[in-house]
Amino acid sequence: DAKTTQPPSMDCAEGRAANLPCNHSTISGNEYVYWYRQIHSQGPQYIIHGLKNNETNEMASLIITEDRKSSTLILPHATLRDTAVYYCIVTIGANSKLTFGKGITLSVRP
Amino acid sequence: DAGVIQSPRHEVTEMGQEVTLRCKPISGHDYLFWYRQTMMRGLELLIYFNNNVPIDDSGMPEDRFSAKMPNASFSTLKIQPSEPRDSAVYFCASRRTETYEQYFGPGTRLTVT
């Protein structure tokens, strides 16, 4: 599976958009980009995934660059409850093996 | 939908004792995963099952660890004998073949003294 690189942390103001970057320069053509998050002391929670096209659901939007070497997870209106560790994972299709890195810690401030 | 159920939520045991962690996946899910999370190593996949059959156990740290799935609604992760370095939060997750999303349970916090 391709390796991902995320900054260790970032913060944003409540109500503003949070843009979380992820680099995956070695991604191959059949690998998907997944995002999960883990709120303190809870199990990870699926957010969104994509292959080539941008994706949006009720939680977030996923923007993948045309060369697929990087992506951005967008939380359009961050709330305090969005404070969590966000993991960007690249893996083949619905491949069952998710390899979690260190993730990025998002802190939403009032 | 009750979600993935794990028991116990907390377990404290002494070194050398046997520990059994339990998981009930979401009904209808045919994949089940066991993960371990520590500060040092992060979140690691230990083993996963498909239709009750172990598919990949390459993440199981050593022979002291074993996992079973006797039926579609129950799985166990056993550590015998336990050691202090096994202290971690153990998560169970499940998934349906048709979807990409894994649903995680609340975890079992294991402390081995």
PDB file of all heavy atoms in Angstrom, chain B residues 66-100:
ATOM      1  N   SER B  66      -4.197 -15.592  20.085  1.00  0.00           N
ATOM      2  CA  SER B  66      -5.005 -16.416  19.196  1.00  0.00           C
ATOM      3  C   SER B  66      -6.383 -15.791  19.054  1.00  0.00           C
ATOM      4  O   SER B  66      -6.869 -15.132  19.968  1.00  0.00           O
ATOM      5  CB  SER B  66      -5.116 -17.853  19.720  1.00  0.00           C
ATOM      6  OG  SER B  66      -5.785 -17.863  20.968  1.00  0.00           O
ATOM      7  N   ALA B  67      -6.991 -15.979  17.902  1.00  0.00           N
ATOM      8  CA  ALA B  67      -8.324 -15.429  17.655  1.00  0.00           C
ATOM      9  C   ALA B  67      -9.182 -16.498  17.003  1.00  0.00           C
ATOM     10  O   ALA B  67      -8.689 -17.295  16.200  1.00  0.00           O
ATOM     11  CB  ALA B  67      -8.247 -14.197  16.770  1.00  0.00           C
ATOM     12  N   LYS B  68     -10.459 -16.482  17.371  1.00  0.00           N
ATOM     13  CA  LYS B  68     -11.401 -17.428  16.801  1.00  0.00           C
ATOM     14  C   LYS B  68     -12.685 -16.717  16.427  1.00  0.00           C
ATOM     15  O   LYS B  68     -13.020 -15.679  17.006  1.00  0.00           O
ATOM     16  CB  LYS B  68     -11.710 -18.552  17.803  1.00  0.00           C
ATOM     17  CG  LYS B  68     -10.540 -19.444  18.118  1.00  0.00           C
ATOM     18  CD  LYS B  68     -10.950 -20.556  19.081  1.00  0.00           C
ATOM     19  CE  LYS B  68      -9.778 -21.473  19.389  1.00  0.00           C
ATOM     20  NZ  LYS B  68     -10.155 -22.553  20.329  1.00  0.00           N
ATOM     21  N   MET B  69     -13.387 -17.308  15.490  1.00  0.00           N
ATOM     22  CA  MET B  69     -14.713 -16.798  15.138  1.00  0.00           C
ATOM     23  C   MET B  69     -15.604 -18.012  14.905  1.00  0.00           C
ATOM     24  O   MET B  69     -15.730 -18.493  13.773  1.00  0.00           O
ATOM     25  CB  MET B  69     -14.642 -15.900  13.911  1.00  0.00           C
ATOM     26  CG  MET B  69     -15.931 -15.137  13.676  1.00  0.00           C
ATOM     27  SD  MET B  69     -15.733 -13.768  12.542  1.00  0.00           S
ATOM     28  CE  MET B  69     -17.373 -13.037  12.688  1.00  0.00           C
ATOM     29  N   PRO B  70     -16.193 -18.554  15.946  1.00  0.00           N
ATOM     30  CA  PRO B  70     -16.972 -19.792  15.839  1.00  0.00           C
ATOM     31  C   PRO B  70     -18.260 -19.636  15.041  1.00  0.00           C
ATOM     32  O   PRO B  70     -18.766 -20.626  14.493  1.00  0.00           O
ATOM     33  CB  PRO B  70     -17.266 -20.143  17.297  1.00  0.00           C
ATOM     34  CG  PRO B  70     -17.133 -18.859  18.041  1.00  0.00           C
ATOM     35  CD  PRO B  70     -16.103 -18.060  17.328  1.00  0.00           C
ATOM     36  N   ASN B  71     -18.787 -18.404  14.968  1.00  0.00           N
ATOM     37  CA  ASN B  71     -19.978 -18.163  14.164  1.00  0.00           C
ATOM     38  C   ASN B  71     -20.000 -16.701  13.725  1.00  0.00           C
ATOM     39  O   ASN B  71     -19.129 -15.912  14.130  1.00  0.00           O
ATOM     40  CB  ASN B  71     -21.252 -18.546  14.929  1.00  0.00           C
ATOM     41  CG  ASN B  71     -21.373 -17.797  16.243  1.00  0.00           C
ATOM     42  OD1 ASN B  71     -21.445 -16.575  16.259  1.00  0.00           O
ATOM     43  ND2 ASN B  71     -21.365 -18.541  17.351  1.00  0.00           N
ATOM     44  N   ALA B  72     -20.985 -16.365  12.927  1.00  0.00           N
ATOM     45  CA  ALA B  72     -21.019 -15.031  12.316  1.00  0.00           C
ATOM     46  C   ALA B  72     -21.268 -13.906  13.308  1.00  0.00           C
ATOM     47  O   ALA B  72     -21.115 -12.737  12.966  1.00  0.00           O
ATOM     48  CB  ALA B  72     -22.099 -14.987  11.231  1.00  0.00           C
ATOM     49  N   SER B  73     -21.641 -14.246  14.524  1.00  0.00           N
ATOM     50  CA  SER B  73     -22.012 -13.189  15.463  1.00  0.00           C
ATOM     51  C   SER B  73     -21.094 -13.126  16.681  1.00  0.00           C
ATOM     52  O   SER B  73     -21.408 -12.441  17.654  1.00  0.00           O
ATOM     53  CB  SER B  73     -23.460 -13.385  15.927  1.00  0.00           C
ATOM     54  OG  SER B  73     -23.612 -14.644  16.544  1.00  0.00           O
ATOM     55  N   PHE B  74     -19.945 -13.788  16.612  1.00  0.00           N
ATOM     56  CA  PHE B  74     -19.108 -13.797  17.809  1.00  0.00           C
ATOM     57  C   PHE B  74     -17.657 -14.099  17.457  1.00  0.00           C
ATOM     58  O   PHE B  74     -17.368 -15.007  16.676  1.00  0.00           O
ATOM     59  CB  PHE B  74     -19.633 -14.852  18.793  1.00  0.00           C
ATOM     60  CG  PHE B  74     -18.899 -14.901  20.101  1.00  0.00           C
ATOM     61  CD1 PHE B  74     -18.945 -13.845  20.991  1.00  0.00           C
ATOM     62  CD2 PHE B  74     -18.153 -16.025  20.449  1.00  0.00           C
ATOM     63  CE1 PHE B  74     -18.274 -13.891  22.200  1.00  0.00           C
ATOM     64  CE2 PHE B  74     -17.476 -16.092  21.654  1.00  0.00           C
ATOM     65  CZ  PHE B  74     -17.540 -15.018  22.538  1.00  0.00           C
ATOM     66  N   SER B  75     -16.753 -13.351  18.085  1.00  0.00           N
ATOM     67  CA  SER B  75     -15.335 -13.611  17.916  1.00  0.00           C
ATOM     68  C   SER B  75     -14.628 -13.354  19.240  1.00  0.00           C
ATOM     69  O   SER B  75     -15.082 -12.540  20.058  1.00  0.00           O
ATOM     70  CB  SER B  75     -14.741 -12.703  16.834  1.00  0.00           C
ATOM     71  OG  SER B  75     -13.341 -12.887  16.714  1.00  0.00           O
ATOM     72  N   THR B  76     -13.528 -14.066  19.453  1.00  0.00           N
ATOM     73  CA  THR B  76     -12.713 -13.870  20.643  1.00  0.00           C
ATOM     74  C   THR B  76     -11.256 -13.656  20.254  1.00  0.00           C
ATOM     75  O   THR B  76     -10.767 -14.190  19.253  1.00  0.00           O
ATOM     76  CB  THR B  76     -12.789 -15.070  21.598  1.00  0.00           C
ATOM     77  OG1 THR B  76     -12.333 -16.233  20.912  1.00  0.00           O
ATOM     78  CG2 THR B  76     -14.192 -15.286  22.114  1.00  0.00           C
ATOM     79  N   LEU B  77     -10.590 -12.861  21.056  1.00  0.00           N
ATOM     80  CA  LEU B  77      -9.143 -12.683  20.966  1.00  0.00           C
ATOM     81  C   LEU B  77      -8.585 -13.076  22.326  1.00  0.00           C
ATOM     82  O   LEU B  77      -8.973 -12.500  23.349  1.00  0.00           O
ATOM     83  CB  LEU B  77      -8.788 -11.239  20.636  1.00  0.00           C
ATOM     84  CG  LEU B  77      -7.292 -10.901  20.550  1.00  0.00           C
ATOM     85  CD1 LEU B  77      -6.644 -11.604  19.358  1.00  0.00           C
ATOM     86  CD2 LEU B  77      -7.078  -9.394  20.434  1.00  0.00           C
ATOM     87  N   LYS B  78      -7.715 -14.074  22.327  1.00  0.00           N
ATOM     88  CA  LYS B  78      -7.197 -14.601  23.576  1.00  0.00           C
ATOM     89  C   LYS B  78      -5.694 -14.354  23.670  1.00  0.00           C
ATOM     90  O   LYS B  78      -4.956 -14.500  22.683  1.00  0.00           O
ATOM     91  CB  LYS B  78      -7.490 -16.092  23.683  1.00  0.00           C
ATOM     92  CG  LYS B  78      -7.121 -16.726  25.002  1.00  0.00           C
ATOM     93  CD  LYS B  78      -7.557 -18.186  25.036  1.00  0.00           C
ATOM     94  CE  LYS B  78      -9.051 -18.335  25.008  1.00  0.00           C
ATOM     95  NZ  LYS B  78      -9.483 -19.745  25.193  1.00  0.00           N
ATOM     96  N   ILE B  79      -5.256 -13.994  24.854  1.00  0.00           N
ATOM     97  CA  ILE B  79      -3.829 -13.823  25.121  1.00  0.00           C
ATOM     98  C   ILE B  79      -3.484 -14.738  26.292  1.00  0.00           C
ATOM     99  O   ILE B  79      -4.070 -14.637  27.366  1.00  0.00           O
ATOM    100  CB  ILE B  79      -3.479 -12.358  25.495  1.00  0.00           C
ATOM    101  CG1 ILE B  79      -4.029 -11.391  24.449  1.00  0.00           C
ATOM    102  CG2 ILE B  79      -1.957 -12.201  25.613  1.00  0.00           C
ATOM    103  CD1 ILE B  79      -3.883  -9.922  24.835  1.00  0.00           C
ATOM    104  N   GLN B  80      -2.553 -15.645  26.063  1.00  0.00           N
ATOM    105  CA  GLN B  80      -2.170 -16.602  27.093  1.00  0.00           C
ATOM    106  C   GLN B  80      -0.727 -17.040  26.903  1.00  0.00           C
ATOM    107  O   GLN B  80      -0.406 -17.647  25.885  1.00  0.00           O
ATOM    108  CB  GLN B  80      -3.100 -17.825  27.046  1.00  0.00           C
ATOM    109  CG  GLN B  80      -2.644 -19.045  27.821  1.00  0.00           C
ATOM    110  CD  GLN B  80      -2.530 -18.810  29.324  1.00  0.00           C
ATOM    111  OE1 GLN B  80      -3.097 -17.865  29.854  1.00  0.00           O
ATOM    112  NE2 GLN B  80      -1.792 -19.687  29.998  1.00  0.00           N
ATOM    113  N   PRO B  81       0.165 -16.733  27.839  1.00  0.00           N
ATOM    114  CA  PRO B  81      -0.033 -15.905  29.018  1.00  0.00           C
ATOM    115  C   PRO B  81       0.119 -14.416  28.691  1.00  0.00           C
ATOM    116  O   PRO B  81       0.835 -14.053  27.755  1.00  0.00           O
ATOM    117  CB  PRO B  81       1.102 -16.365  29.934  1.00  0.00           C
ATOM    118  CG  PRO B  81       2.204 -16.721  28.979  1.00  0.00           C
ATOM    119  CD  PRO B  81       1.524 -17.280  27.754  1.00  0.00           C
ATOM    120  N   SER B  82      -0.546 -13.573  29.433  1.00  0.00           N
ATOM    121  CA  SER B  82      -0.456 -12.133  29.180  1.00  0.00           C
ATOM    122  C   SER B  82       0.833 -11.562  29.777  1.00  0.00           C
ATOM    123  O   SER B  82       1.380 -12.098  30.746  1.00  0.00           O
ATOM    124  CB  SER B  82      -1.672 -11.410  29.762  1.00  0.00           C
ATOM    125  OG  SER B  82      -1.770 -11.651  31.160  1.00  0.00           O
ATOM    126  N   GLU B  83       1.300 -10.475  29.157  1.00  0.00           N
ATOM    127  CA  GLU B  83       2.495  -9.786  29.608  1.00  0.00           C
ATOM    128  C   GLU B  83       2.201  -8.286  29.682  1.00  0.00           C
ATOM    129  O   GLU B  83       1.303  -7.801  28.980  1.00  0.00           O
ATOM    130  CB  GLU B  83       3.659 -10.038  28.653  1.00  0.00           C
ATOM    131  CG  GLU B  83       4.071 -11.500  28.564  1.00  0.00           C
ATOM    132  CD  GLU B  83       5.259 -11.717  27.630  1.00  0.00           C
ATOM    133  OE1 GLU B  83       5.790 -10.713  27.087  1.00  0.00           O
ATOM    134  OE2 GLU B  83       5.668 -12.893  27.468  1.00  0.00           O
ATOM    135  N   PRO B  84       2.959  -7.557  30.491  1.00  0.00           N
ATOM    136  CA  PRO B  84       2.711  -6.103  30.604  1.00  0.00           C
ATOM    137  C   PRO B  84       2.742  -5.378  29.260  1.00  0.00           C
ATOM    138  O   PRO B  84       1.986  -4.425  29.053  1.00  0.00           O
ATOM    139  CB  PRO B  84       3.841  -5.635  31.531  1.00  0.00           C
ATOM    140  CG  PRO B  84       4.119  -6.818  32.401  1.00  0.00           C
ATOM    141  CD  PRO B  84       3.947  -8.022  31.495  1.00  0.00           C
ATOM    142  N   ARG B  85       3.567  -5.833  28.336  1.00  0.00           N
ATOM    143  CA  ARG B  85       3.640  -5.158  27.030  1.00  0.00           C
ATOM    144  C   ARG B  85       2.399  -5.376  26.176  1.00  0.00           C
ATOM    145  O   ARG B  85       2.263  -4.765  25.105  1.00  0.00           O
ATOM    146  CB  ARG B  85       4.864  -5.626  26.250  1.00  0.00           C
ATOM    147  CG  ARG B  85       4.910  -7.107  25.967  1.00  0.00           C
ATOM    148  CD  ARG B  85       6.286  -7.492  25.418  1.00  0.00           C
ATOM    149  NE  ARG B  85       6.478  -8.934  25.395  1.00  0.00           N
ATOM    150  CZ  ARG B  85       6.832  -9.601  24.301  1.00  0.00           C
ATOM    151  NH1 ARG B  85       7.027  -8.988  23.170  1.00  0.00           N
ATOM    152  NH2 ARG B  85       7.013 -10.914  24.364  1.00  0.00           N
ATOM    153  N   ASP B  86       1.497  -6.232  26.626  1.00  0.00           N
ATOM    154  CA  ASP B  86       0.230  -6.421  25.910  1.00  0.00           C
ATOM    155  C   ASP B  86      -0.792  -5.347  26.284  1.00  0.00           C
ATOM    156  O   ASP B  86      -1.876  -5.291  25.689  1.00  0.00           O
ATOM    157  CB  ASP B  86      -0.364  -7.793  26.225  1.00  0.00           C
ATOM    158  CG  ASP B  86       0.569  -8.934  25.850  1.00  0.00           C
ATOM    159  OD1 ASP B  86       1.352  -8.760  24.894  1.00  0.00           O
ATOM    160  OD2 ASP B  86       0.524  -9.972  26.538  1.00  0.00           O
ATOM    161  N   SER B  87      -0.460  -4.525  27.245  1.00  0.00           N
ATOM    162  CA  SER B  87      -1.370  -3.456  27.654  1.00  0.00           C
ATOM    163  C   SER B  87      -1.623  -2.530  26.473  1.00  0.00           C
ATOM    164  O   SER B  87      -0.687  -2.020  25.849  1.00  0.00           O
ATOM    165  CB  SER B  87      -0.771  -2.672  28.825  1.00  0.00           C
ATOM    166  OG  SER B  87      -0.619  -3.500  29.956  1.00  0.00           O
ATOM    167  N   ALA B  88      -2.892  -2.342  26.165  1.00  0.00           N
ATOM    168  CA  ALA B  88      -3.269  -1.576  24.973  1.00  0.00           C
ATOM    169  C   ALA B  88      -4.789  -1.468  24.948  1.00  0.00           C
ATOM    170  O   ALA B  88      -5.490  -2.044  25.785  1.00  0.00           O
ATOM    171  CB  ALA B  88      -2.789  -2.275  23.694  1.00  0.00           C
ATOM    172  N   VAL B  89      -5.296  -0.744  23.954  1.00  0.00           N
ATOM    173  CA  VAL B  89      -6.731  -0.762  23.666  1.00  0.00           C
ATOM    174  C   VAL B  89      -6.914  -1.654  22.448  1.00  0.00           C
ATOM    175  O   VAL B  89      -6.256  -1.460  21.416  1.00  0.00           O
ATOM    176  CB  VAL B  89      -7.293   0.639  23.383  1.00  0.00           C
ATOM    177  CG1 VAL B  89      -8.796   0.552  23.093  1.00  0.00           C
ATOM    178  CG2 VAL B  89      -7.039   1.566  24.577  1.00  0.00           C
ATOM    179  N   TYR B  90      -7.791  -2.628  22.571  1.00  0.00           N
ATOM    180  CA  TYR B  90      -8.066  -3.565  21.498  1.00  0.00           C
ATOM    181  C   TYR B  90      -9.429  -3.239  20.892  1.00  0.00           C
ATOM    182  O   TYR B  90     -10.437  -3.186  21.595  1.00  0.00           O
ATOM    183  CB  TYR B  90      -8.037  -5.004  22.027  1.00  0.00           C
ATOM    184  CG  TYR B  90      -6.647  -5.441  22.420  1.00  0.00           C
ATOM    185  CD1 TYR B  90      -6.097  -5.070  23.646  1.00  0.00           C
ATOM    186  CD2 TYR B  90      -5.859  -6.196  21.551  1.00  0.00           C
ATOM    187  CE1 TYR B  90      -4.808  -5.437  24.002  1.00  0.00           C
ATOM    188  CE2 TYR B  90      -4.567  -6.586  21.903  1.00  0.00           C
ATOM    189  CZ  TYR B  90      -4.058  -6.191  23.123  1.00  0.00           C
ATOM    190  OH  TYR B  90      -2.782  -6.568  23.466  1.00  0.00           O
ATOM    191  N   PHE B  91      -9.418  -3.011  19.579  1.00  0.00           N
ATOM    192  CA  PHE B  91     -10.648  -2.680  18.862  1.00  0.00           C
ATOM    193  C   PHE B  91     -11.056  -3.827  17.956  1.00  0.00           C
ATOM    194  O   PHE B  91     -10.224  -4.478  17.328  1.00  0.00           O
ATOM    195  CB  PHE B  91     -10.456  -1.428  17.993  1.00  0.00           C
ATOM    196  CG  PHE B  91     -10.307  -0.159  18.760  1.00  0.00           C
ATOM    197  CD1 PHE B  91      -9.065   0.440  18.902  1.00  0.00           C
ATOM    198  CD2 PHE B  91     -11.416   0.468  19.310  1.00  0.00           C
ATOM    199  CE1 PHE B  91      -8.919   1.626  19.613  1.00  0.00           C
ATOM    200  CE2 PHE B  91     -11.284   1.653  20.013  1.00  0.00           C
ATOM    201  CZ  PHE B  91     -10.036   2.235  20.167  1.00  0.00           C
ATOM    202  N   CYS B  92     -12.336  -4.025  17.874  1.00  0.00           N
ATOM    203  CA  CYS B  92     -12.930  -4.932  16.918  1.00  0.00           C
ATOM    204  C   CYS B  92     -13.695  -4.079  15.909  1.00  0.00           C
ATOM    205  O   CYS B  92     -14.283  -3.045  16.267  1.00  0.00           O
ATOM    206  CB  CYS B  92     -13.871  -5.882  17.649  1.00  0.00           C
ATOM    207  SG  CYS B  92     -14.760  -7.028  16.593  1.00  0.00           S
ATOM    208  N   ALA B  93     -13.686  -4.488  14.658  1.00  0.00           N
ATOM    209  CA  ALA B  93     -14.424  -3.766  13.623  1.00  0.00           C
ATOM    210  C   ALA B  93     -15.081  -4.779  12.700  1.00  0.00           C
ATOM    211  O   ALA B  93     -14.634  -5.927  12.596  1.00  0.00           O
ATOM    212  CB  ALA B  93     -13.497  -2.841  12.832  1.00  0.00           C
ATOM    213  N   SER B  94     -16.132  -4.368  12.033  1.00  0.00           N
ATOM    214  CA  SER B  94     -16.778  -5.260  11.069  1.00  0.00           C
ATOM    215  C   SER B  94     -17.175  -4.487   9.821  1.00  0.00           C
ATOM    216  O   SER B  94     -17.248  -3.252   9.832  1.00  0.00           O
ATOM    217  CB  SER B  94     -17.994  -5.970  11.687  1.00  0.00           C
ATOM    218  OG  SER B  94     -19.070  -5.076  11.938  1.00  0.00           O
ATOM    219  N   ARG B  95     -17.452  -5.232   8.781  1.00  0.00           N
ATOM    220  CA  ARG B  95     -17.743  -4.632   7.481  1.00  0.00           C
ATOM    221  C   ARG B  95     -18.532  -5.603   6.628  1.00  0.00           C
ATOM    222  O   ARG B  95     -18.377  -6.821   6.756  1.00  0.00           O
ATOM    223  CB  ARG B  95     -16.415  -4.340   6.786  1.00  0.00           C
ATOM    224  CG  ARG B  95     -16.445  -3.375   5.630  1.00  0.00           C
ATOM    225  CD  ARG B  95     -15.186  -3.501   4.791  1.00  0.00           C
ATOM    226  NE  ARG B  95     -15.536  -4.106   3.510  1.00  0.00           N
ATOM    227  CZ  ARG B  95     -14.705  -4.801   2.759  1.00  0.00           C
ATOM    228  NH1 ARG B  95     -13.474  -5.021   3.162  1.00  0.00           N
ATOM    229  NH2 ARG B  95     -15.085  -5.276   1.605  1.00  0.00           N
ATOM    230  N   ARG B  96     -19.358  -5.051   5.750  1.00  0.00           N
ATOM    231  CA  ARG B  96     -20.033  -5.876   4.751  1.00  0.00           C
ATOM    232  C   ARG B  96     -19.197  -5.920   3.490  1.00  0.00           C
ATOM    233  O   ARG B  96     -18.514  -4.945   3.166  1.00  0.00           O
ATOM    234  CB  ARG B  96     -21.394  -5.279   4.409  1.00  0.00           C
ATOM    235  CG  ARG B  96     -22.471  -5.531   5.427  1.00  0.00           C
ATOM    236  CD  ARG B  96     -23.720  -4.753   5.068  1.00  0.00           C
ATOM    237  NE  ARG B  96     -24.090  -4.906   3.668  1.00  0.00           N
ATOM    238  CZ  ARG B  96     -24.668  -3.947   2.948  1.00  0.00           C
ATOM    239  NH1 ARG B  96     -24.904  -2.762   3.483  1.00  0.00           N
ATOM    240  NH2 ARG B  96     -24.999  -4.163   1.696  1.00  0.00           N
ATOM    241  N   THR B  97     -19.247  -7.015   2.774  1.00  0.00           N
ATOM    242  CA  THR B  97     -18.478  -7.156   1.535  1.00  0.00           C
ATOM    243  C   THR B  97     -18.782  -6.023   0.557  1.00  0.00           C
ATOM    244  O   THR B  97     -17.877  -5.504  -0.099  1.00  0.00           O
ATOM    245  CB  THR B  97     -18.789  -8.499   0.857  1.00  0.00           C
ATOM    246  OG1 THR B  97     -18.356  -9.548   1.725  1.00  0.00           O
ATOM    247  CG2 THR B  97     -18.085  -8.609  -0.476  1.00  0.00           C
ATOM    248  N   GLU B  98     -20.036  -5.612   0.491  1.00  0.00           N
ATOM    249  CA  GLU B  98     -20.452  -4.651  -0.545  1.00  0.00           C
ATOM    250  C   GLU B  98     -20.016  -3.217  -0.254  1.00  0.00           C
ATOM    251  O   GLU B  98     -20.145  -2.356  -1.127  1.00  0.00           O
ATOM    252  CB  GLU B  98     -21.983  -4.670  -0.697  1.00  0.00           C
ATOM    253  CG  GLU B  98     -22.549  -6.016  -1.129  1.00  0.00           C
ATOM    254  CD  GLU B  98     -22.770  -6.966   0.024  1.00  0.00           C
ATOM    255  OE1 GLU B  98     -22.537  -6.563   1.201  1.00  0.00           O
ATOM    256  OE2 GLU B  98     -23.148  -8.120  -0.224  1.00  0.00           O
ATOM    257  N   THR B  99     -19.556  -2.955   0.930  1.00  0.00           N
ATOM    258  CA  THR B  99     -19.230  -1.568   1.292  1.00  0.00           C
ATOM    259  C   THR B  99     -17.751  -1.429   1.630  1.00  0.00           C
ATOM    260  O   THR B  99     -17.043  -2.404   1.838  1.00  0.00           O
ATOM    261  CB  THR B  99     -20.057  -1.099   2.498  1.00  0.00           C
ATOM    262  OG1 THR B  99     -19.647  -1.829   3.663  1.00  0.00           O
ATOM    263  CG2 THR B  99     -21.539  -1.315   2.255  1.00  0.00           C
ATOM    264  N   TYR B 100     -17.301  -0.188   1.677  1.00  0.00           N
ATOM    265  CA  TYR B 100     -15.905   0.100   1.954  1.00  0.00           C
ATOM    266  C   TYR B 100     -15.670   0.498   3.409  1.00  0.00           C
ATOM    267  O   TYR B 100     -14.534   0.623   3.840  1.00  0.00           O
ATOM    268  CB  TYR B 100     -15.430   1.245   1.061  1.00  0.00           C
ATOM    269  CG  TYR B 100     -15.352   0.889  -0.399  1.00  0.00           C
ATOM    270  CD1 TYR B 100     -16.500   0.743  -1.166  1.00  0.00           C
ATOM    271  CD2 TYR B 100     -14.125   0.707  -1.013  1.00  0.00           C
ATOM    272  CE1 TYR B 100     -16.422   0.422  -2.506  1.00  0.00           C
ATOM    273  CE2 TYR B 100     -14.032   0.402  -2.361  1.00  0.00           C
ATOM    274  CZ  TYR B 100     -15.190   0.255  -3.100  1.00  0.00           C
ATOM    275  OH  TYR B 100     -15.109  -0.062  -4.430  1.00  0.00           O
TER     276      TYR B 100
END
